[in-house]
Amino acid sequence: MRCWRLSCAPRACDLPCDSPRSSLSGAVMRLSRYFLPILKENPKEAEIVSHRLMLRAGMIRQETAGIYAWLPLGLRVLNKVTGIIREEQNRAGAVELLMPTIQPADLWRESGRYDAYGKEMLRITDRHEREMLFGPTNEEMITEIFRGYVRSYKDLPLNLYHIQWKFRDEIRPRFGTMRSREFLMKDAYSFDLDKEGARHAYNAMFTAYLRTFARMGLKAVPMKADTGPIGGDLSHEFIILADTGESAVFCHSDYLSFDTPAADTDFGDRAGLQQLVDRWTSLYAATEEMHDEAGFAAVPEDRRLAARGIEVGHIFYFGTKYSEPMNAVVAGPDGQLRPVHMGSYGIGPSRLVAALIEANHDEAGIIWPDAVAPFNVAILDLKAGDSATAAACEDLYRQLSARGLDVLLDDRDERAGGKFATADLIGAPWQILVGPKGLANGQVELKRRATGERELVSPADAVARICG
RNA sequence: CGGGGCAUAGCGCAGUCUGGUAGCGCAUCUGCUUUGGGAGCAGAGGGUCGCAGGUUCAAAUCCUGCUGCCCCGACCA
């Protein structure tokens, strides 16, 4: 069984590992001392814009087909993305753990998937000739963990997740981290006594996903997905619309104006969540594979949206598919043992990073949504070596850092044009241009990357404007 | 896995057809000038031409085999 495509992330730390929050204690993130290997020219192997820009902006480096090293800038974005995912998973009641990348083959023999999975699974033999594999997903392992401890319905419901690297030996990896072989995935697994409980768990994840993508500045539309042998209506792909999307999608355009579920949503309110999910599944939305011409034709003509989309999440109820063969059972109130009903819920952070770029860029480079920007603000010292601009830049840096923002100071001995180009390429939402002429009048130039708007303001106003 | 293509300096490329001592642009280093949208001049460093065989007086160039990467397709619960 195959799930969400997505990709890779940093290990479990609650804050971005290289977060410049340490700047509070004095260190300044100077571009002259950073590692940002940007490329002026387009790498020939990169076809789609996100791949091209990730390479050009020094976010990733390909090590071999479908396998990438994440360079400092890319890692920052990945950490921002996983940070948001983590917060929303926790908010919805899921509990984080961390399972290994390498799994024993025997576990997969229990579910029957060791033979069923095929060549996509990377099989490994250790020094004792034991059969191992690099995990493409974790249903078996989480089920094994669950059955090792949980005995009673009183311990349900339970939803465990981790954010871990996966490997699927794709026939043809492509599009950079959009379709890589090694990829980071957040995969959550829910355990409930019955299908009704599982539906609630499903609804909670559904809601969490809407919030997760919205916080990243993305419009994600849940679309009905193939439920495979289980049947029913409990599988959705979360698709973001992008011209360069991999697949054709069809939906009612009203979805794009639906409100995001509130931060204080009560995830224990079964009826409330059901209502929310019902609303978000009330209109037509389907990917190519599930597309139904008649259903789409019933949508008012001016609301029919046919577009391209990128799958960034997938949620799935699969009942007792694993709990039964693997004997993950709990005692119900009546004392009877029964296999638990499970679901799994995936998001691919490493794919999301690419998807975010597909949805947010222009000719000059990336335009990061604030929530996932590697740096919120880039301060450009337009005259390196000038003590006045340097002092003004550092002062701005400290003020912005103190407000919790991630700031990059371009103090390189470069011409202004090169700094502008770099700043536009790496896509910090805000740029502050500090030059000697403006400074003589007590002014700096504040530029919004997304719109290109600029205005001359005092340094204090720049800070206020950004933090305001 | 089928089809196509590529492999020459860190990046992008020319040179290969027609064999004759390795080139260009960018990047890097030095100096001078320049300094608000990827600067100019002068100089310098950097390449077992993917690997292995073969042909030849001589191979980046021709032949054979291999490897890697890219694109299209199939694949992507």
Side-chain angles (χ1 to χ4, degrees), chain A residues 240-263:
Chain A
I240 64 162
L241 304 181
D243 294 340
T244 49
E246 278 194 289
S247 48
V249 298
F250 306 87
C251 70
H252 194 299
S253 61
D254 281 5
Y255 273 126
L256 301 180
S257 51
F258 275 19
D259 288 335
T260 303

Side-chain angles (χ1 to χ4, degrees), chain A residues 149-167:
Chain A
Y149 302 106
V150 182
R151 296 281 173 269
S152 163
Y153 75 97
K154 291 178 185 171
D155 294 322
L156 302 182
L158 183 63
N159 187 330
L160 300 172
Y161 77 97
H162 75 337
I163 298 175
Q164 177 64 293
W165 294 90
K166 306 290 192 293
F167 192 91

